[in-house]
Amino acid sequence: KFENKFYYIWNTNHKSPYKKKEAMWPLYLYTNKKVYKENLQPYSKHFWKQIKINSNFEKFATLKQYAVSTSRLMLRNFPTEKPIFYNPKLQGEGYPFSYNDNSAVHPNEPLLLSHYSKDKKFVYAMTSYAGGWVKTKNIAIVNDKIIKKIETSDKIVLTTDNISILDKKHHYLFSSKIGMILPIIKEEATYFEALLITNKEYMKPKLEIVKIPKRIAHYLPSEFNEKIVEKMAKKMLNNPYGWGGSSNDRDCSSTLKDVMATTG
């Protein structure tokens, strides 16, 4: 049941799970309000005009491509990396509470692509739990064969943050995050051989086999009880709060999602 939910977005028959107007909610909510830049100056009407054009929502749900994140992604409310603050002078309304940050996506999570921004720097992507703009260079398009391989394989979940995951040549790929789910090829005495999707070329997938030490992962599903939840939650104690996943940290929903994902 958990895996069906996790891979839900790859089983939508390439159709968006929500309507264009629902995806456009940030444009309705923020563009008519006085909001501020990182230099504490208000955004101009010209800025919002350009954002609306670049959002390219007339092309909503025309791509209909399945994809996977190849690094940690920020799901943004607008196709820009610029932060958006309500009132930087008020506690909780300035840095780091940018209203452009919606959520964060672990590497190798399923995506459904809706459409590109006008400048092609971003693509609107949907996960099983949220939608938003992600950088096109950090995703890979996947076909039915790859999807079937991933969905039908046994799974592990990572249980430790900030361990470097390396490829066969010992090149850095990304850092581990509690709650990250990966399919495995086989199990050895001290490690799992996991299947990863990285970028071969721009948005093209490359299948990698990586070694995941058993000390930082276990099989899904696992036993669910008070002890395992407490153990995972304690690993997250004293970490800074990260609104929408900012600064590679967790907010309330991603903390709950990642703790519970460790048992499936």
Side-chain angles (χ1 to χ4, degrees), residues 165-199:
I165 306 300
L166 309 176
D167 66 13
K168 283 188 174 181
K169 295 181 179 179
H170 298 282
H171 297 149
Y172 174 85
L173 295 173
F174 49 75
S175 296
S176 66
K177 275 285 190 182
I178 294 172
M180 187 186 301
I181 295 164
L182 297 173
I184 63 165
I185 305 302
K186 64 178 180 178
E187 178 184 1
E188 299 291 352
T190 59
Y191 62 87
F192 298 102
E193 285 196 353
L195 178 67
L196 284 185
I197 309 295
T198 60
N199 289 95

PDB file of all heavy atoms in Angstrom, residues 165-199:
ATOM      1  N   ILE A 165      26.942   9.358  -1.060  1.00  0.00           N
ATOM      2  CA  ILE A 165      26.663   8.233  -1.949  1.00  0.00           C
ATOM      3  C   ILE A 165      27.531   8.408  -3.186  1.00  0.00           C
ATOM      4  O   ILE A 165      27.465   9.446  -3.862  1.00  0.00           O
ATOM      5  CB  ILE A 165      25.170   8.176  -2.335  1.00  0.00           C
ATOM      6  CG1 ILE A 165      24.290   8.164  -1.077  1.00  0.00           C
ATOM      7  CG2 ILE A 165      24.896   6.960  -3.216  1.00  0.00           C
ATOM      8  CD1 ILE A 165      24.522   7.012  -0.140  1.00  0.00           C
ATOM      9  N   LEU A 166      28.359   7.391  -3.481  1.00  0.00           N
ATOM     10  CA  LEU A 166      29.356   7.488  -4.545  1.00  0.00           C
ATOM     11  C   LEU A 166      29.055   6.495  -5.662  1.00  0.00           C
ATOM     12  O   LEU A 166      28.473   5.427  -5.420  1.00  0.00           O
ATOM     13  CB  LEU A 166      30.759   7.215  -3.992  1.00  0.00           C
ATOM     14  CG  LEU A 166      31.181   8.001  -2.746  1.00  0.00           C
ATOM     15  CD1 LEU A 166      32.564   7.539  -2.286  1.00  0.00           C
ATOM     16  CD2 LEU A 166      31.175   9.499  -3.011  1.00  0.00           C
ATOM     17  N   ASP A 167      29.480   6.816  -6.889  1.00  0.00           N
ATOM     18  CA  ASP A 167      29.340   5.869  -7.989  1.00  0.00           C
ATOM     19  C   ASP A 167      30.514   4.882  -7.984  1.00  0.00           C
ATOM     20  O   ASP A 167      31.354   4.900  -7.071  1.00  0.00           O
ATOM     21  CB  ASP A 167      29.193   6.596  -9.338  1.00  0.00           C
ATOM     22  CG  ASP A 167      30.449   7.372  -9.742  1.00  0.00           C
ATOM     23  OD1 ASP A 167      31.516   7.165  -9.123  1.00  0.00           O
ATOM     24  OD2 ASP A 167      30.372   8.190 -10.667  1.00  0.00           O
ATOM     25  N   LYS A 168      30.591   4.031  -9.012  1.00  0.00           N
ATOM     26  CA  LYS A 168      31.642   2.999  -9.047  1.00  0.00           C
ATOM     27  C   LYS A 168      33.045   3.584  -9.120  1.00  0.00           C
ATOM     28  O   LYS A 168      34.015   2.952  -8.720  1.00  0.00           O
ATOM     29  CB  LYS A 168      31.395   2.064 -10.236  1.00  0.00           C
ATOM     30  CG  LYS A 168      30.281   1.054 -10.001  1.00  0.00           C
ATOM     31  CD  LYS A 168      30.221   0.037 -11.124  1.00  0.00           C
ATOM     32  CE  LYS A 168      29.209  -1.055 -10.817  1.00  0.00           C
ATOM     33  NZ  LYS A 168      29.143  -2.077 -11.898  1.00  0.00           N
ATOM     34  N   LYS A 169      33.144   4.797  -9.665  1.00  0.00           N
ATOM     35  CA  LYS A 169      34.445   5.450  -9.762  1.00  0.00           C
ATOM     36  C   LYS A 169      34.720   6.330  -8.557  1.00  0.00           C
ATOM     37  O   LYS A 169      35.645   7.121  -8.557  1.00  0.00           O
ATOM     38  CB  LYS A 169      34.513   6.269 -11.055  1.00  0.00           C
ATOM     39  CG  LYS A 169      34.444   5.420 -12.317  1.00  0.00           C
ATOM     40  CD  LYS A 169      34.547   6.278 -13.567  1.00  0.00           C
ATOM     41  CE  LYS A 169      34.507   5.420 -14.823  1.00  0.00           C
ATOM     42  NZ  LYS A 169      34.578   6.248 -16.064  1.00  0.00           N
ATOM     43  N   HIS A 170      33.873   6.191  -7.545  1.00  0.00           N
ATOM     44  CA  HIS A 170      34.000   6.944  -6.299  1.00  0.00           C
ATOM     45  C   HIS A 170      33.783   8.447  -6.489  1.00  0.00           C
ATOM     46  O   HIS A 170      34.346   9.262  -5.754  1.00  0.00           O
ATOM     47  CB  HIS A 170      35.348   6.671  -5.615  1.00  0.00           C
ATOM     48  CG  HIS A 170      35.528   5.238  -5.226  1.00  0.00           C
ATOM     49  ND1 HIS A 170      34.943   4.664  -4.120  1.00  0.00           N
ATOM     50  CD2 HIS A 170      36.213   4.231  -5.845  1.00  0.00           C
ATOM     51  CE1 HIS A 170      35.252   3.389  -4.041  1.00  0.00           C
ATOM     52  NE2 HIS A 170      36.014   3.091  -5.078  1.00  0.00           N
ATOM     53  N   HIS A 171      32.969   8.783  -7.470  1.00  0.00           N
ATOM     54  CA  HIS A 171      32.551  10.170  -7.646  1.00  0.00           C
ATOM     55  C   HIS A 171      31.303  10.431  -6.807  1.00  0.00           C
ATOM     56  O   HIS A 171      30.404   9.582  -6.730  1.00  0.00           O
ATOM     57  CB  HIS A 171      32.258  10.479  -9.121  1.00  0.00           C
ATOM     58  CG  HIS A 171      33.444  10.346 -10.008  1.00  0.00           C
ATOM     59  ND1 HIS A 171      33.358   9.960 -11.324  1.00  0.00           N
ATOM     60  CD2 HIS A 171      34.772  10.540  -9.769  1.00  0.00           C
ATOM     61  CE1 HIS A 171      34.553   9.937 -11.868  1.00  0.00           C
ATOM     62  NE2 HIS A 171      35.431  10.273 -10.935  1.00  0.00           N
ATOM     63  N   TYR A 172      31.231  11.609  -6.225  1.00  0.00           N
ATOM     64  CA  TYR A 172      30.094  11.977  -5.380  1.00  0.00           C
ATOM     65  C   TYR A 172      28.823  12.134  -6.218  1.00  0.00           C
ATOM     66  O   TYR A 172      28.836  12.787  -7.264  1.00  0.00           O
ATOM     67  CB  TYR A 172      30.391  13.286  -4.645  1.00  0.00           C
ATOM     68  CG  TYR A 172      29.234  13.850  -3.853  1.00  0.00           C
ATOM     69  CD1 TYR A 172      28.988  13.407  -2.551  1.00  0.00           C
ATOM     70  CD2 TYR A 172      28.392  14.815  -4.403  1.00  0.00           C
ATOM     71  CE1 TYR A 172      27.931  13.918  -1.819  1.00  0.00           C
ATOM     72  CE2 TYR A 172      27.333  15.325  -3.673  1.00  0.00           C
ATOM     73  CZ  TYR A 172      27.102  14.871  -2.385  1.00  0.00           C
ATOM     74  OH  TYR A 172      26.045  15.385  -1.671  1.00  0.00           O
ATOM     75  N   LEU A 173      27.748  11.509  -5.793  1.00  0.00           N
ATOM     76  CA  LEU A 173      26.450  11.663  -6.453  1.00  0.00           C
ATOM     77  C   LEU A 173      25.534  12.582  -5.653  1.00  0.00           C
ATOM     78  O   LEU A 173      25.035  13.583  -6.165  1.00  0.00           O
ATOM     79  CB  LEU A 173      25.790  10.294  -6.646  1.00  0.00           C
ATOM     80  CG  LEU A 173      26.509   9.334  -7.595  1.00  0.00           C
ATOM     81  CD1 LEU A 173      25.857   7.952  -7.562  1.00  0.00           C
ATOM     82  CD2 LEU A 173      26.492   9.892  -9.027  1.00  0.00           C
ATOM     83  N   PHE A 174      25.291  12.233  -4.386  1.00  0.00           N
ATOM     84  CA  PHE A 174      24.490  13.065  -3.489  1.00  0.00           C
ATOM     85  C   PHE A 174      24.668  12.545  -2.070  1.00  0.00           C
ATOM     86  O   PHE A 174      25.324  11.522  -1.842  1.00  0.00           O
ATOM     87  CB  PHE A 174      23.003  13.067  -3.883  1.00  0.00           C
ATOM     88  CG  PHE A 174      22.415  11.703  -4.125  1.00  0.00           C
ATOM     89  CD1 PHE A 174      22.110  10.862  -3.063  1.00  0.00           C
ATOM     90  CD2 PHE A 174      22.166  11.265  -5.414  1.00  0.00           C
ATOM     91  CE1 PHE A 174      21.574   9.609  -3.274  1.00  0.00           C
ATOM     92  CE2 PHE A 174      21.629  10.007  -5.643  1.00  0.00           C
ATOM     93  CZ  PHE A 174      21.327   9.177  -4.559  1.00  0.00           C
ATOM     94  N   SER A 175      24.090  13.248  -1.104  1.00  0.00           N
ATOM     95  CA  SER A 175      24.171  12.829   0.296  1.00  0.00           C
ATOM     96  C   SER A 175      22.887  12.118   0.708  1.00  0.00           C
ATOM     97  O   SER A 175      21.795  12.455   0.231  1.00  0.00           O
ATOM     98  CB  SER A 175      24.407  14.043   1.202  1.00  0.00           C
ATOM     99  OG  SER A 175      25.651  14.641   0.920  1.00  0.00           O
ATOM    100  N   SER A 176      23.040  11.140   1.582  1.00  0.00           N
ATOM    101  CA  SER A 176      21.877  10.376   2.030  1.00  0.00           C
ATOM    102  C   SER A 176      20.934  11.242   2.852  1.00  0.00           C
ATOM    103  O   SER A 176      21.340  12.213   3.471  1.00  0.00           O
ATOM    104  CB  SER A 176      22.343   9.186   2.876  1.00  0.00           C
ATOM    105  OG  SER A 176      22.947   9.640   4.082  1.00  0.00           O
ATOM    106  N   LYS A 177      19.656  10.848   2.807  1.00  0.00           N
ATOM    107  CA  LYS A 177      18.639  11.480   3.627  1.00  0.00           C
ATOM    108  C   LYS A 177      17.747  10.400   4.219  1.00  0.00           C
ATOM    109  O   LYS A 177      17.328   9.474   3.512  1.00  0.00           O
ATOM    110  CB  LYS A 177      17.777  12.435   2.788  1.00  0.00           C
ATOM    111  CG  LYS A 177      18.363  13.836   2.624  1.00  0.00           C
ATOM    112  CD  LYS A 177      18.203  14.631   3.892  1.00  0.00           C
ATOM    113  CE  LYS A 177      18.556  16.093   3.700  1.00  0.00           C
ATOM    114  NZ  LYS A 177      18.430  16.850   4.958  1.00  0.00           N
ATOM    115  N   ILE A 178      17.462  10.503   5.482  1.00  0.00           N
ATOM    116  CA  ILE A 178      16.516   9.592   6.109  1.00  0.00           C
ATOM    117  C   ILE A 178      15.200   9.632   5.316  1.00  0.00           C
ATOM    118  O   ILE A 178      14.689  10.704   4.997  1.00  0.00           O
ATOM    119  CB  ILE A 178      16.263   9.977   7.576  1.00  0.00           C
ATOM    120  CG1 ILE A 178      17.537   9.780   8.405  1.00  0.00           C
ATOM    121  CG2 ILE A 178      15.110   9.154   8.177  1.00  0.00           C
ATOM    122  CD1 ILE A 178      17.440  10.325   9.819  1.00  0.00           C
ATOM    123  N   GLY A 179      14.688   8.460   4.972  1.00  0.00           N
ATOM    124  CA  GLY A 179      13.436   8.397   4.225  1.00  0.00           C
ATOM    125  C   GLY A 179      13.599   8.235   2.737  1.00  0.00           C
ATOM    126  O   GLY A 179      12.607   8.056   2.022  1.00  0.00           O
ATOM    127  N   MET A 180      14.831   8.273   2.236  1.00  0.00           N
ATOM    128  CA  MET A 180      15.086   8.092   0.800  1.00  0.00           C
ATOM    129  C   MET A 180      14.926   6.617   0.441  1.00  0.00           C
ATOM    130  O   MET A 180      15.502   5.748   1.093  1.00  0.00           O
ATOM    131  CB  MET A 180      16.501   8.573   0.455  1.00  0.00           C
ATOM    132  CG  MET A 180      16.820   8.590  -1.029  1.00  0.00           C
ATOM    133  SD  MET A 180      18.566   9.015  -1.335  1.00  0.00           S
ATOM    134  CE  MET A 180      18.673  10.630  -0.580  1.00  0.00           C
ATOM    135  N   ILE A 181      14.150   6.334  -0.593  1.00  0.00           N
ATOM    136  CA  ILE A 181      13.814   4.961  -0.972  1.00  0.00           C
ATOM    137  C   ILE A 181      14.522   4.594  -2.275  1.00  0.00           C
ATOM    138  O   ILE A 181      14.483   5.349  -3.246  1.00  0.00           O
ATOM    139  CB  ILE A 181      12.286   4.809  -1.116  1.00  0.00           C
ATOM    140  CG1 ILE A 181      11.627   5.020   0.243  1.00  0.00           C
ATOM    141  CG2 ILE A 181      11.916   3.444  -1.692  1.00  0.00           C
ATOM    142  CD1 ILE A 181      10.154   5.271   0.186  1.00  0.00           C
ATOM    143  N   LEU A 182      15.156   3.403  -2.280  1.00  0.00           N
ATOM    144  CA  LEU A 182      15.895   2.956  -3.452  1.00  0.00           C
ATOM    145  C   LEU A 182      15.606   1.482  -3.738  1.00  0.00           C
ATOM    146  O   LEU A 182      15.494   0.675  -2.812  1.00  0.00           O
ATOM    147  CB  LEU A 182      17.406   3.119  -3.230  1.00  0.00           C
ATOM    148  CG  LEU A 182      17.942   4.538  -3.026  1.00  0.00           C
ATOM    149  CD1 LEU A 182      19.418   4.482  -2.654  1.00  0.00           C
ATOM    150  CD2 LEU A 182      17.736   5.388  -4.265  1.00  0.00           C
ATOM    151  N   PRO A 183      15.489   1.109  -5.024  1.00  0.00           N
ATOM    152  CA  PRO A 183      15.394  -0.312  -5.380  1.00  0.00           C
ATOM    153  C   PRO A 183      16.774  -0.966  -5.280  1.00  0.00           C
ATOM    154  O   PRO A 183      17.792  -0.300  -5.496  1.00  0.00           O
ATOM    155  CB  PRO A 183      14.907  -0.275  -6.827  1.00  0.00           C
ATOM    156  CG  PRO A 183      15.386   1.033  -7.358  1.00  0.00           C
ATOM    157  CD  PRO A 183      15.409   1.992  -6.202  1.00  0.00           C
ATOM    158  N   ILE A 184      16.804  -2.264  -4.960  1.00  0.00           N
ATOM    159  CA  ILE A 184      18.094  -2.938  -4.848  1.00  0.00           C
ATOM    160  C   ILE A 184      18.204  -4.088  -5.848  1.00  0.00           C
ATOM    161  O   ILE A 184      17.207  -4.674  -6.273  1.00  0.00           O
ATOM    162  CB  ILE A 184      18.361  -3.449  -3.416  1.00  0.00           C
ATOM    163  CG1 ILE A 184      17.337  -4.517  -2.997  1.00  0.00           C
ATOM    164  CG2 ILE A 184      18.394  -2.312  -2.433  1.00  0.00           C
ATOM    165  CD1 ILE A 184      17.767  -5.293  -1.773  1.00  0.00           C
ATOM    166  N   ILE A 185      19.456  -4.361  -6.234  1.00  0.00           N
ATOM    167  CA  ILE A 185      19.763  -5.451  -7.155  1.00  0.00           C
ATOM    168  C   ILE A 185      20.092  -6.729  -6.391  1.00  0.00           C
ATOM    169  O   ILE A 185      19.623  -7.808  -6.704  1.00  0.00           O
ATOM    170  CB  ILE A 185      20.956  -5.063  -8.061  1.00  0.00           C
ATOM    171  CG1 ILE A 185      20.670  -3.741  -8.786  1.00  0.00           C
ATOM    172  CG2 ILE A 185      21.266  -6.184  -9.047  1.00  0.00           C
ATOM    173  CD1 ILE A 185      19.428  -3.757  -9.644  1.00  0.00           C
ATOM    174  N   LYS A 186      20.927  -6.588  -5.345  1.00  0.00           N
ATOM    175  CA  LYS A 186      21.253  -7.745  -4.513  1.00  0.00           C
ATOM    176  C   LYS A 186      21.774  -7.287  -3.159  1.00  0.00           C
ATOM    177  O   LYS A 186      22.092  -6.107  -2.955  1.00  0.00           O
ATOM    178  CB  LYS A 186      22.268  -8.655  -5.198  1.00  0.00           C
ATOM    179  CG  LYS A 186      23.639  -8.045  -5.446  1.00  0.00           C
ATOM    180  CD  LYS A 186      24.563  -9.093  -6.093  1.00  0.00           C
ATOM    181  CE  LYS A 186      25.946  -8.503  -6.343  1.00  0.00           C
ATOM    182  NZ  LYS A 186      26.868  -9.516  -6.924  1.00  0.00           N
ATOM    183  N   GLU A 187      21.877  -8.243  -2.255  1.00  0.00           N
ATOM    184  CA  GLU A 187      22.339  -7.994  -0.894  1.00  0.00           C
ATOM    185  C   GLU A 187      23.641  -8.738  -0.644  1.00  0.00           C
ATOM    186  O   GLU A 187      23.754  -9.915  -0.968  1.00  0.00           O
ATOM    187  CB  GLU A 187      21.279  -8.435   0.114  1.00  0.00           C
ATOM    188  CG  GLU A 187      21.677  -8.258   1.557  1.00  0.00           C
ATOM    189  CD  GLU A 187      20.634  -8.799   2.525  1.00  0.00           C
ATOM    190  OE1 GLU A 187      19.614  -9.338   2.051  1.00  0.00           O
ATOM    191  OE2 GLU A 187      20.858  -8.693   3.736  1.00  0.00           O
ATOM    192  N   GLU A 188      24.626  -8.043  -0.102  1.00  0.00           N
ATOM    193  CA  GLU A 188      25.879  -8.667   0.306  1.00  0.00           C
ATOM    194  C   GLU A 188      25.979  -8.623   1.836  1.00  0.00           C
ATOM    195  O   GLU A 188      25.068  -8.150   2.507  1.00  0.00           O
ATOM    196  CB  GLU A 188      27.067  -7.943  -0.345  1.00  0.00           C
ATOM    197  CG  GLU A 188      27.074  -7.980  -1.866  1.00  0.00           C
ATOM    198  CD  GLU A 188      27.355  -9.364  -2.437  1.00  0.00           C
ATOM    199  OE1 GLU A 188      27.701 -10.279  -1.637  1.00  0.00           O
ATOM    200  OE2 GLU A 188      27.224  -9.539  -3.653  1.00  0.00           O
ATOM    201  N   ALA A 189      27.080  -9.101   2.365  1.00  0.00           N
ATOM    202  CA  ALA A 189      27.214  -9.224   3.826  1.00  0.00           C
ATOM    203  C   ALA A 189      27.100  -7.881   4.545  1.00  0.00           C
ATOM    204  O   ALA A 189      26.434  -7.771   5.581  1.00  0.00           O
ATOM    205  CB  ALA A 189      28.541  -9.893   4.162  1.00  0.00           C
ATOM    206  N   THR A 190      27.746  -6.848   3.993  1.00  0.00           N
ATOM    207  CA  THR A 190      27.790  -5.562   4.706  1.00  0.00           C
ATOM    208  C   THR A 190      27.132  -4.417   3.942  1.00  0.00           C
ATOM    209  O   THR A 190      27.091  -3.296   4.430  1.00  0.00           O
ATOM    210  CB  THR A 190      29.244  -5.163   5.005  1.00  0.00           C
ATOM    211  OG1 THR A 190      29.969  -5.070   3.759  1.00  0.00           O
ATOM    212  CG2 THR A 190      29.911  -6.186   5.909  1.00  0.00           C
ATOM    213  N   TYR A 191      26.622  -4.699   2.745  1.00  0.00           N
ATOM    214  CA  TYR A 191      26.031  -3.613   1.954  1.00  0.00           C
ATOM    215  C   TYR A 191      24.959  -4.142   0.996  1.00  0.00           C
ATOM    216  O   TYR A 191      24.880  -5.347   0.718  1.00  0.00           O
ATOM    217  CB  TYR A 191      27.111  -2.870   1.158  1.00  0.00           C
ATOM    218  CG  TYR A 191      27.853  -3.717   0.145  1.00  0.00           C
ATOM    219  CD1 TYR A 191      27.365  -3.879  -1.162  1.00  0.00           C
ATOM    220  CD2 TYR A 191      29.044  -4.353   0.477  1.00  0.00           C
ATOM    221  CE1 TYR A 191      28.036  -4.665  -2.083  1.00  0.00           C
ATOM    222  CE2 TYR A 191      29.722  -5.137  -0.445  1.00  0.00           C
ATOM    223  CZ  TYR A 191      29.211  -5.287  -1.721  1.00  0.00           C
ATOM    224  OH  TYR A 191      29.872  -6.064  -2.639  1.00  0.00           O
ATOM    225  N   PHE A 192      24.136  -3.210   0.525  1.00  0.00           N
ATOM    226  CA  PHE A 192      23.182  -3.478  -0.546  1.00  0.00           C
ATOM    227  C   PHE A 192      23.726  -2.895  -1.848  1.00  0.00           C
ATOM    228  O   PHE A 192      24.368  -1.841  -1.829  1.00  0.00           O
ATOM    229  CB  PHE A 192      21.831  -2.812  -0.267  1.00  0.00           C
ATOM    230  CG  PHE A 192      21.139  -3.279   0.970  1.00  0.00           C
ATOM    231  CD1 PHE A 192      21.154  -2.514   2.127  1.00  0.00           C
ATOM    232  CD2 PHE A 192      20.454  -4.483   0.986  1.00  0.00           C
ATOM    233  CE1 PHE A 192      20.498  -2.932   3.276  1.00  0.00           C
ATOM    234  CE2 PHE A 192      19.793  -4.920   2.130  1.00  0.00           C
ATOM    235  CZ  PHE A 192      19.817  -4.141   3.271  1.00  0.00           C
ATOM    236  N   GLU A 193      23.472  -3.562  -2.971  1.00  0.00           N
ATOM    237  CA  GLU A 193      23.726  -2.960  -4.268  1.00  0.00           C
ATOM    238  C   GLU A 193      22.412  -2.359  -4.753  1.00  0.00           C
ATOM    239  O   GLU A 193      21.460  -3.087  -5.052  1.00  0.00           O
ATOM    240  CB  GLU A 193      24.258  -3.983  -5.268  1.00  0.00           C
ATOM    241  CG  GLU A 193      25.702  -4.349  -5.034  1.00  0.00           C
ATOM    242  CD  GLU A 193      26.344  -5.046  -6.231  1.00  0.00           C
ATOM    243  OE1 GLU A 193      25.627  -5.361  -7.209  1.00  0.00           O
ATOM    244  OE2 GLU A 193      27.570  -5.271  -6.188  1.00  0.00           O
ATOM    245  N   ALA A 194      22.374  -1.036  -4.790  1.00  0.00           N
ATOM    246  CA  ALA A 194      21.139  -0.328  -5.128  1.00  0.00           C
ATOM    247  C   ALA A 194      21.208   0.222  -6.548  1.00  0.00           C
ATOM    248  O   ALA A 194      22.288   0.527  -7.074  1.00  0.00           O
ATOM    249  CB  ALA A 194      20.913   0.817  -4.142  1.00  0.00           C
ATOM    250  N   LEU A 195      20.037   0.336  -7.145  1.00  0.00           N
ATOM    251  CA  LEU A 195      19.924   0.884  -8.492  1.00  0.00           C
ATOM    252  C   LEU A 195      19.588   2.367  -8.404  1.00  0.00           C
ATOM    253  O   LEU A 195      18.618   2.757  -7.758  1.00  0.00           O
ATOM    254  CB  LEU A 195      18.821   0.152  -9.262  1.00  0.00           C
ATOM    255  CG  LEU A 195      18.528   0.642 -10.682  1.00  0.00           C
ATOM    256  CD1 LEU A 195      19.703   0.363 -11.604  1.00  0.00           C
ATOM    257  CD2 LEU A 195      17.257  -0.013 -11.221  1.00  0.00           C
ATOM    258  N   LEU A 196      20.412   3.178  -9.068  1.00  0.00           N
ATOM    259  CA  LEU A 196      20.187   4.624  -9.104  1.00  0.00           C
ATOM    260  C   LEU A 196      20.030   5.092 -10.544  1.00  0.00           C
ATOM    261  O   LEU A 196      20.613   4.517 -11.467  1.00  0.00           O
ATOM    262  CB  LEU A 196      21.372   5.379  -8.503  1.00  0.00           C
ATOM    263  CG  LEU A 196      21.555   5.415  -6.995  1.00  0.00           C
ATOM    264  CD1 LEU A 196      22.731   6.315  -6.660  1.00  0.00           C
ATOM    265  CD2 LEU A 196      20.307   5.918  -6.300  1.00  0.00           C
ATOM    266  N   ILE A 197      19.257   6.154 -10.702  1.00  0.00           N
ATOM    267  CA  ILE A 197      19.173   6.829 -11.996  1.00  0.00           C
ATOM    268  C   ILE A 197      19.928   8.145 -11.884  1.00  0.00           C
ATOM    269  O   ILE A 197      19.631   8.972 -11.017  1.00  0.00           O
ATOM    270  CB  ILE A 197      17.713   7.114 -12.409  1.00  0.00           C
ATOM    271  CG1 ILE A 197      16.845   5.854 -12.298  1.00  0.00           C
ATOM    272  CG2 ILE A 197      17.668   7.690 -13.817  1.00  0.00           C
ATOM    273  CD1 ILE A 197      17.231   4.749 -13.232  1.00  0.00           C
ATOM    274  N   THR A 198      20.926   8.328 -12.732  1.00  0.00           N
ATOM    275  CA  THR A 198      21.636   9.600 -12.827  1.00  0.00           C
ATOM    276  C   THR A 198      21.465  10.125 -14.250  1.00  0.00           C
ATOM    277  O   THR A 198      20.749   9.541 -15.057  1.00  0.00           O
ATOM    278  CB  THR A 198      23.126   9.435 -12.480  1.00  0.00           C
ATOM    279  OG1 THR A 198      23.720   8.501 -13.402  1.00  0.00           O
ATOM    280  CG2 THR A 198      23.305   8.921 -11.064  1.00  0.00           C
ATOM    281  N   ASN A 199      22.128  11.233 -14.552  1.00  0.00           N
ATOM    282  CA  ASN A 199      22.020  11.817 -15.891  1.00  0.00           C
ATOM    283  C   ASN A 199      23.156  11.362 -16.790  1.00  0.00           C
ATOM    284  O   ASN A 199      24.326  11.587 -16.493  1.00  0.00           O
ATOM    285  CB  ASN A 199      22.003  13.344 -15.818  1.00  0.00           C
ATOM    286  CG  ASN A 199      20.705  13.874 -15.246  1.00  0.00           C
ATOM    287  OD1 ASN A 199      20.635  14.123 -14.056  1.00  0.00           O
ATOM    288  ND2 ASN A 199      19.695  14.028 -16.065  1.00  0.00           N
TER     289      ASN A 199
END
